[in-house]
Amino acid sequence: MHTHLNRGVAQYQLPIGDKLLNMNDLVGETISLSFNQVIHCRNCGRITNKSYSQGHCYPCSQKLASCDLCIMKPETCHYHLGTCREPQWGLDNCFSPHVVYLANSSGVKVGITRKKNIPSRWIDQGAICALPILEVDTRLKSGELEMALKQFVNDKTNWRKMLKNEVDLADLPTIRDSLLEHIKGAIDATDAQVLKNEALDINYPVVEYPSKISSLNFDKTPNITGVLKGIKAQYLILDTGVLNIRKYSAYNITLTY
């Protein structure tokens, strides 16, 4: 789903054909999603029996730089070795301003993102609050800073707690100041700019959070129906379970409401 922030509330739009459906308007309504047993690679468009790397056929997942392991582990960037799968893509995406941030989604965590992906990256993770703390000029440097910070703060989201909204409030600026004291060497080594931004609060269009998490899966249940109780991160929260929309981004789906 496409996301943006409007007056502090996450806004969601689901691509349906060549149109964007405003999903916030459907919260509280009964919706049905049906998998039409067709999966198209989001890169080349070919039909594939299985989706790899969030919406690709197998050949594309093996040749695209955006599907390489270094996307998940930026500290392993190997562009300087001359082995990038797509050198121009690497230049365009990995040699641009990147931000190291703190976010509170199921607890405080550290993460990185391209500067232009703020605040969508935080919405995609279901963060209720986020704070950029450092800025660098390459993805590799952001990964190195994240590795340094991971010694002192988590880098994972507990998606079940996030969807239940079991999140304790945290003073991100105070945590930032404490963490930066621990990694002065890494900051100097990467020529990172220390940011003094204010934390951003994010609200989600949810009328009721689930007390138990039951995952819905198009491969097991092609037809999914329920009352849309809310949307958080890239999940639809239905009274029948939760559905990770991003996981099925290459699936041909019919939505009715």
Side-chain angles (χ1 to χ4, degrees), residues 13 38 76 168 202 222:
Q13 294 176 308
V38 177
T76 64
D168 294 328
I202 302 173

Side-chain angles (χ1 to χ4, degrees), residues 22-249:
N22 189 340
M23 294 300 294
N24 292 52
D25 292 343
L26 298 183
V27 174
E29 304 292 331
T30 298
I31 64 173
S32 295
L33 302 103
S34 299
F35 172 38
N36 300 317
Q37 303 300 319
V38 177
I39 305 173
H40 287 279
C41 174
R42 61 190 300 182
N43 178 60
C44 70
R46 79 178 75 188
I47 293 178
T48 175
N49 292 327
K50 184 178 178 180
S51 172
Y52 299 86
S53 300
Q54 294 186 349
H56 297 86
C57 64
Y58 184 75
C60 284
S61 73
Q62 297 301 296
K63 73 179 183 182
L64 295 177
S66 59
C67 296
D68 204 348
L69 177 64
C70 52
I71 296 302
M72 297 298 295
K73 297 183 177 182
E75 71 278 4
T76 64
C77 174
H78 47 92
Y79 188 95
H80 61 287
L81 299 176
T83 54
C84 182
R85 293 179 178 182
E86 297 176 279
Q88 187 58 52
W89 188 95
L91 282 175
D92 294 341
N93 291 274
C94 300
F95 291 83
S96 59
H98 278 65
V99 168
V100 182
Y101 63 84
L102 297 176
N104 189 5
S105 49
S106 62
V108 178
K109 60 155 284 184
V110 62
I112 71 162
T113 186
R114 280 186 287 173
K115 187 175 181 179
K116 69 176 186 178
N117 289 340
I118 293 173
S120 292
R121 174 64 171 164
W122 301 333
I123 296 173
D124 288 348
Q125 293 183 339
I128 63 169
C129 187
L131 176 68
I133 62 173
L134 295 165
E135 182 176 332
V136 288
D137 57 358
T138 70
R139 185 174 180 82
L140 174 59
K141 290 179 180 178
S142 70
E144 292 170 344
L145 288 165
E146 184 182 36
M147 289 295 292
L149 286 164
K150 281 168 58 176
Q151 301 176 65
F152 311 101
V153 64
N154 197 6
D155 69 327
K156 304 294 183 185
T157 295
N158 182 323
W159 64 276
R160 292 180 180 274
K161 288 183 63 177
M162 180 270 294
L163 287 176
K164 292 180 181 180
N165 204 37
E166 295 177 349
V167 188
D168 294 328
L169 298 180
D171 185 344
L172 295 186
T174 297
I175 296 172
R176 169 198 61 198
D177 295 343
S178 175
L179 289 172
L180 294 184
E181 284 294 318
H182 291 296
I183 63 161
K184 286 183 176 180
I187 292 173
D188 291 340
T190 56
D191 294 320
Q193 176 187 357
V194 176
L195 304 175
K196 290 295 183 180
N197 300 58
E198 293 184 359
L200 177 67
D201 294 324
I202 302 173
N203 297 293
Y204 294 88
V206 179
V207 295
E208 183 181 347
Y209 286 100
S211 58
K212 295 182 179 180
I213 301 297
S214 175
S215 295
L216 300 172
N217 186 324
F218 280 125
D219 296 320
K220 296 179 179 179
T221 309
N223 300 301
I224 295 172
T225 298
V227 177
L228 182 60
K229 294 293 187 177
I231 313 169
K232 192 175 186 184
Q234 282 288 324
Y235 286 85
L236 299 182
I237 302 173
L238 305 169
D239 63 347
T240 52
V242 299
L243 179 66
N244 184 349
I245 286 292
R246 169 165 285 174
K247 181 178 179 180
Y248 303 103
S249 58

Side-chain angles (χ1 to χ4, degrees), residues 10-23:
Q11 306 293 316
Y12 291 89
Q13 294 176 308
L14 181 66
I16 300 291
D18 57 355
K19 298 181 180 180
L20 291 174
L21 178 64
N22 189 340
M23 294 300 294

